[in-house]
Amino acid sequence: MRSNNKLKIINDPVYGFISIPSELIFELIEHPYFQRLRRITQMGMSYLVYPGAQHTRFHHALGAMFLMQRAVQVLRFKKVAITEDEEEALYMAILLHDIGHGPFSHAMEHSIVENVSHEEISLLFMNELNKTFNGQLSLAIKIFKNEYHRKFMYQLVSGQLDMDRLDYLRRDSFYTGVSEGSVNSQRLIAMLNVVNDALVVEEKGIYSVEKFIVARRLMYWQVYLHKTSLVAEQLLTRLLKRAKELTQTGVQLSASEALSFFLKNSISLTDFNLEKLETFSKLDDYDIISAMKSWCNSDDFVLNELSAMLLNRDLLKIKLKKQPFSEEKKKEKLNEVMKKHNLSEKEASYFVFDGSISNQAYHMDKDTINLIKKNGKVVDVAKASDQLNIEALSQKVIKYYMCYPKSH
C-alpha cells in the first residue's frame, strides 16, 4: 500500500532538502511519464568526457522546481502578488518543462523523430496529464505557452535568467567538476523583482548577472560543446539514422518494442496521437544502450562500427577551426574511408562529416536581462555593465568542425 503522506522532502546533493509543495505536485512526480526522466541523462554523452556527469533530467526538474519555490518566496516578500493557483502552476510548468526529452536528451530530435522538438513533446505530455488530473494543469500550460497575461511568470520558466538555466548551470558544473560554470543561483534569485509585469534584477545584483553570463559562455565551450561530447552526439544521431534507414528497407534489427516502433515509422508532430505518445514515454537511454550492444554484431558495417565506437569510447577524430573546411579536404578523407573499408560514398559519409557550432552567452535582441536602478530606471544589463563587456559576450561565435576516423 502507498502511504498517504505526500508532502515529502528529497535530499538533493546541490541544494540540500527539497520539499514537495503539494499533493498534486507529488502525484505528478509519481506519474510514469515523469519517473521516466530518471532514465534519461541530463547531459547526453558528456559522461564520456566528464565521468561524473551521470545525473538525470529527473534531478534537474526537481532542482528547477526548488529554485522556483525560492523565486516565489522572494517576489512575495517584495510585495509581488502571486496567488496560490499561480504559485502551483509555476511549480508544475517548471517541473514539466523538460518532460518531452528523448533518450540522451537531444539525439532523438535529429534522427528518429521527424523534426519534433522536445518542447513540443513536453506540451503533448502536459496536455495528456491535464486530462488525467481533471484540468488542474490548465494554468501551468498557459504559462508554459506564454499565453498568460502576467508575462514575468513565463520569464521565470523560459527566459534568459529562468529557473531552468539557473539550475542546469549550477548542477552541471557540480557533476562535471567544472567550477567555471558554478553560479550562485540563490543570490541571483534574491535580487529578482517585477516591474511593469516584467522580471528585473536589482542594481546590486549586476555582478552576479555578469558572472552568470560568463559562466554560461564557459560552460558551453568547456562542457556542452566540448569536442569529444560533440563527436559522440553526432555519432549517436548518425547511428539512429542508420538504424532507421536499414529498418525501413526491411532489415530486422534487435531493439525494444518502443525503439522498433520509431525505427519503422516516420513520425512528425501531426502524427503524435496518444498511442504514439505512450510509446514515446517508454523510450529512454536504456533502449539505446541495449540496442547498441546488440548492433555491435550486426552484418551492417556502418551500424556495428558506430555502435562499437560509442560503447568503447573509440570515437572519430575531430578538428575545430574558425573557417569552414574545404570540400577537397572532406573528399580526400571520404575517399580514404571508402577505399580502406570498401564502402559507398553514402556509407563513408557516416564516418566523415563536417558542421558548425555556435555559442552566444547573451541575446541582446530578445528578452534581455533588465536591471532596475535605484532611481527606478530599467536598463539592459549589457548597457549598465562596467566590469565586463557583456555586449562582446552577446556576439555569436561560430566554430567549424570536421570528423573523420583516426589513422590507426
Side-chain angles (χ1 to χ4, degrees), residues 20-35:
I20 295 175
S22 70
E23 293 203 2
L24 174 58
I25 303 270
F26 178 81
E27 300 283 358
L28 282 172
I29 291 170
E30 290 279 275
H31 195 282
Y33 287 169
F34 191 81
Q35 288 292 316

Side-chain angles (χ1 to χ4, degrees), residues 28-38 40 42 57-58 60-61 92-103 105 117-129 133 137 144 277 280-283:
L28 282 172
I29 291 170
E30 290 279 275
H31 195 282
Y33 287 169
F34 191 81
Q35 288 292 316
R36 162 184 164 272
L37 297 181
R38 290 180 184 271
I40 294 177
Q42 169 73 9
R57 291 267 157 199
F58 185 85
H60 163 59
M92 290 190 277
I94 198 70
L95 190 70
L96 303 174
H97 77 282
D98 270 349
I99 198 170
H101 267 292
S105 294
S117 74
H118 68 269
E119 289 90 353
E120 289 165 323
I121 301 174
S122 290
L123 196 53
L124 295 171
F125 275 128
M126 287 166 85
N127 286 327
E128 211 40 59
L129 287 166
F133 290 96
L137 280 78
F144 182 80
L277 192 66
F280 184 86
S281 78
K282 305 223 167 17
L283 264 184

Side-chain angles (χ1 to χ4, degrees), residues 243-244 247-248 251-252 257 259-266:
K244 185 160 191 159
T247 305
Q248 296 196 343
V251 177
Q252 289 291 313
E257 228 173 281
L259 182 55
S260 289
F261 176 81
F262 283 97
L263 292 175
K264 283 176 187 155
N265 299 287
S266 291

Side-chain angles (χ1 to χ4, degrees), residues 258-361:
L259 182 55
S260 289
F261 176 81
F262 283 97
L263 292 175
K264 283 176 187 155
N265 299 287
S266 291
I267 308 292
S268 62
L269 189 59
T270 45
D271 305 321
F272 244 98
N273 57 19
L274 176 58
E275 190 190 345
K276 294 188 178 70
L277 192 66
E278 279 296 328
T279 309
F280 184 86
S281 78
K282 305 223 167 17
L283 264 184
D284 55 52
D285 292 8
Y286 296 90
D287 297 75
I288 308 293
I289 287 179
S290 61
M292 284 197 282
K293 286 164 83 171
S294 165
W295 297 345
C296 277
N297 305 314
S298 163
D299 294 336
D300 180 69
F301 176 82
V302 175
L303 197 68
N304 74 37
E305 195 69 10
L306 291 175
S307 301
M309 279 179 166
L310 285 163
L311 285 174
N312 304 323
R313 200 191 178 277
D314 182 12
L315 308 169
L316 297 172
K317 191 174 177 59
I318 178 167
K319 280 249 171 87
L320 282 170
K321 58 181 210 173
K322 289 179 180 169
Q323 281 82 34
F325 286 83
S326 69
E327 278 303 313
E328 294 76 51
K329 182 83 176 151
K330 196 173 151 193
K331 200 87 185 129
E332 178 195 318
K333 293 290 178 192
L334 264 173
N335 288 335
E336 278 175 29
V337 175
M338 285 160 69
K339 208 164 144 191
K340 186 174 177 184
H341 301 288
N342 193 21
L343 300 176
S344 67
E345 185 171 337
K346 187 181 178 192
E347 289 166 332
S349 68
Y350 279 95
F351 303 100
V352 179
F353 49 86
D354 57 358
S356 65
I357 49 173
S358 64
N359 186 354
Q360 191 170 3

Side-chain angles (χ1 to χ4, degrees), residues 28-83:
L28 282 172
I29 291 170
E30 290 279 275
H31 195 282
Y33 287 169
F34 191 81
Q35 288 292 316
R36 162 184 164 272
L37 297 181
R38 290 180 184 271
R39 302 186 299 277
I40 294 177
T41 50
Q42 169 73 9
M43 294 178 64
M45 306 299 287
S46 292
Y47 64 85
L48 292 176
V49 182
Y50 298 100
Q54 298 278 1
H55 57 303
T56 64
R57 291 267 157 199
F58 185 85
H59 287 111
H60 163 59
L62 291 175
M65 182 191 75
F66 169 81
L67 294 181
M68 188 66 88
Q69 288 172 291
R70 292 287 159 274
V72 168
Q73 237 175 12
V74 163
L75 294 175
R76 276 186 174 155
F77 178 74
K78 294 178 183 175
K79 305 286 185 281
V80 177
I82 297 172
T83 67

Side-chain angles (χ1 to χ4, degrees), residues 193-211:
N193 208 333
V194 172
V195 173
N196 298 331
D197 213 41
L199 215 52
V200 293
V201 179
E202 289 167 10
E203 189 176 13
K204 59 180 181 252
I206 186 165
Y207 303 123
S208 301
V209 174
E210 286 174 345
K211 183 169 187 308

